[in-house]
Amino acid sequence: MKVLVPVKRVIDYNVKVRVKADGTGVDLANVKMSMNPFDEIAVEEAIRLKEAGKADEVVVVSIGVKQAQETLRTALAMGADRAILIIAADDVNTDIEPLAVAKLLAKVVEEEQPGLVVAGKQAIDNDMNATGQMLSALLGWSQATFASEVDIDGDKAVVTREVDGGLQTIKVNLPAIVTADLRLNEPRYATLPNIMKAKKKPLDEKTAADYGVDVTPRLEVVKTSEPAVRQAGIKVESVDELVTKLKEAGAI
Amino acid sequence: MAVLLLAEINDGVLSVDATAKAVSASTSLGDVTVLAVGATAADAAAEAAKIDGVAKVLVAEDALYSHRLAEPVATLMAALAADYSHIVAPATTDAKNILPRVAALLDVMVLSDVTAVVDADTFERPIYAGNAIQTVKSSDAKKVITFRTSTFDAAGEGGSAAVETIAAGDNPGLSEWVEDKVAESDRPELTSAKIVVSGGRGVGSEEDFAIIEKLADKLGAAVGASRAAVDSGFAPNDWQVGQTGKVVAPELYIAAGISGAIQHLAGMKDSKIIVAINKDEEAPIFQVADFGLVADLFEAVPALTEKL
């Protein structure tokens, strides 16, 4: 079985983002970019399936600007076999919407015929949490979102999901889309020799037009603003003072 | 213009708070029809009919909808979509699982975690872990939306909407439910609690988390945790507050032994009053705290519990 893993290049999760003063977006110039943390978990899971003999090839795909090939190289260094880059934007500020990404991924799935797609549950830039579900709808496949455990059992996958009240286990028909939650695994670091080897692994470059998918946004960004700033608070000296202040504020 | 709203139902019981908050977010968009889906949904539908602002309730009760698997519920919602301009739900894990699937079936985008309605096409939503607010205008014929419940007030009781039973939709037959492991809790539900007491890495162990729980019980509060506390096994994962856990906005949020990483703040910085107890006076949590106490939580938390 082939496993397909979509990965996204996003602002590094440790960076404190800055909203541009003119309200046109978030300042991404000269900011450290990395692989979306949930996608690292998805890549790790795919590689583990391969190591367990449940998968025979791991293909990673990224959609966006040309620089996303760095993200794909990282996935290859972790252990993926092959990469596909779909260039759909000229400018890092253009975020392709989940619907367009799902349509492009659906075309890749048609071509590659994977038995399983493992995606991250959400990208930490747009915080949408939608691409996996949308891809699954477009393909008419089953979906298992927010996965914390995946077990391939013949032509089905048994997946434990993180839901509001605790955990839920479902059994889905393969092929399926699984989206990875934080607790699915601990992603490995790419070692230096593997980073060198990854440079020789195949990376196909395509464009959105090659797949005949229109990536025009459905949601026009009117403006991007800073969230409301909290009033500066005070430091209290003791528990007694804290209790007094909370009583004054009517909080307790 | 009309709104189809997916009611939040667990095991046949309506989550009144989440549903009522989504109703209040939706009333400016048109007449609200609540859809109650489940293996048993009739009681939940009757409850939903009492929410102020609900015009009608549709009940789809069938074994097919047991545990509300995404594939059959999304199929049903897409089939009902023709009569509605907006298809909405509270942003729970259930709805986040289902609504993007509905949107793709209708070939429209989804608007996730909407925090404000500007007009029928324009909405605000947080991006980058809540560090920016984006205002977006949808050009889609239908808007599929999940509402972040912590930013809306719950609609009151007093409605008396008509309840209508509808037939179940097609069964895609793609998945089946196996089991639930529900975390036992007598405390208020985290996302709707008025007070939340959270512990972080500083708590140090699962046993020591008891001091956090004791303070919470004294205050009638829900218990939360940072990712560090969950990953270290001090607390179950459904207590996690943050970008990847739950988003809360209680009247009072007490953070003990939590440094205040961006991802944690994303889940709690809209709380009305934030109290931080941390022995590191440089911890970022103090930048958002209304009242900060630089102290060892093992002394301060029991002392606070004692004094209340």
Side-chain angles (χ1 to χ4, degrees), chain B residues 107-181:
Chain B
D107 192 25
V108 301
M109 254 301 283
V110 64
L111 293 128
S112 311
D113 263 321
V114 164
T115 49
V117 176
V118 178
D119 61 40
D121 308 309
T122 316
F123 305 89
E124 286 180 14
R125 56 181 303 271
I127 53 173
Y128 292 92
N131 287 298
I133 307 295
Q134 200 173 54
T135 307
V136 289
K137 189 176 164 79
S138 167
S139 58
D140 280 324
K142 287 183 197 302
K143 283 39 153 174
V144 176
I145 302 166
T146 59
F147 287 113
R148 176 168 290 192
T149 48
S150 64
T151 54
F152 297 95
D153 292 328
E157 244 188 49
S160 55
V163 178
E164 185 187 316
T165 303
I166 58 167
D170 293 335
N171 182 2
L174 293 167
S175 56
E176 58 189 294
W177 172 83
V178 179
E179 67 168 337
D180 277 346
K181 280 193 200 115

Side-chain angles (χ1 to χ4, degrees), chain B residues 36-217:
Chain B
V37 187
T40 50
D43 291 350
E47 281 294 309
K50 293 187 208 153
I51 299 173
D52 216 4
V54 174
K56 193 161 98 174
V57 179
L58 302 178
V59 197
E61 208 177 45
D62 195 289
L64 172 61
Y65 302 124
S66 166
H67 302 280
R68 305 171 22 122
L69 294 165
E71 298 87 350
V73 178
T75 304
L76 174 71
M77 291 183 75
L80 293 170
D83 297 335
Y84 304 93
S85 57
H86 295 74
I87 294 159
V88 309
T92 58
T93 48
D94 235 19
K96 287 177 178 176
N97 188 33
I98 296 165
L99 264 68
R101 192 175 178 101
V102 175
L105 292 173
L106 300 171
D107 192 25
V108 301
M109 254 301 283
V110 64
L111 293 128
S112 311
D113 263 321
V114 164
T115 49
V117 176
V118 178
D119 61 40
D121 308 309
T122 316
F123 305 89
E124 286 180 14
R125 56 181 303 271
I127 53 173
Y128 292 92
N131 287 298
I133 307 295
Q134 200 173 54
T135 307
V136 289
K137 189 176 164 79
S138 167
S139 58
D140 280 324
K142 287 183 197 302
K143 283 39 153 174
V144 176
I145 302 166
T146 59
F147 287 113
R148 176 168 290 192
T149 48
S150 64
T151 54
F152 297 95
D153 292 328
E157 244 188 49
S160 55
V163 178
E164 185 187 316
T165 303
I166 58 167
D170 293 335
N171 182 2
L174 293 167
S175 56
E176 58 189 294
W177 172 83
V178 179
E179 67 168 337
D180 277 346
K181 280 193 200 115
V182 180
E184 292 296 330
S185 177
D186 299 331
R187 301 196 179 93
E189 208 262 314
L190 190 53
T191 52
S192 57
K194 293 247 182 297
I195 303 177
V196 174
V197 182
S198 282
R201 194 198 304 272
V203 177
S205 72
E206 192 182 354
E207 292 71 45
D208 287 333
F209 224 81
I211 65 170
I212 302 291
E213 297 179 51
K214 242 186 202 158
L215 175 58
D217 291 342

Side-chain angles (χ1 to χ4, degrees), chain B residues 288-307:
Chain B
V288 300
D290 298 281
F291 302 115
L293 176 62
V294 181
D296 185 345
L297 71 94
F298 293 104
E299 286 161 20
V301 172
L304 183 58
T305 311
E306 191 68 24
K307 299 227 155 81

Side-chain angles (χ1 to χ4, degrees), chain B residues 11-50:
Chain B
D11 285 331
V13 180
L14 181 75
S15 167
V16 179
D17 186 72
T19 307
K21 282 174 174 168
V23 169
S24 78
S26 308
T27 42
S28 68
L29 299 170
D31 280 347
V32 179
T33 298
V34 171
L35 174 64
V37 187
T40 50
D43 291 350
E47 281 294 309
K50 293 187 208 153

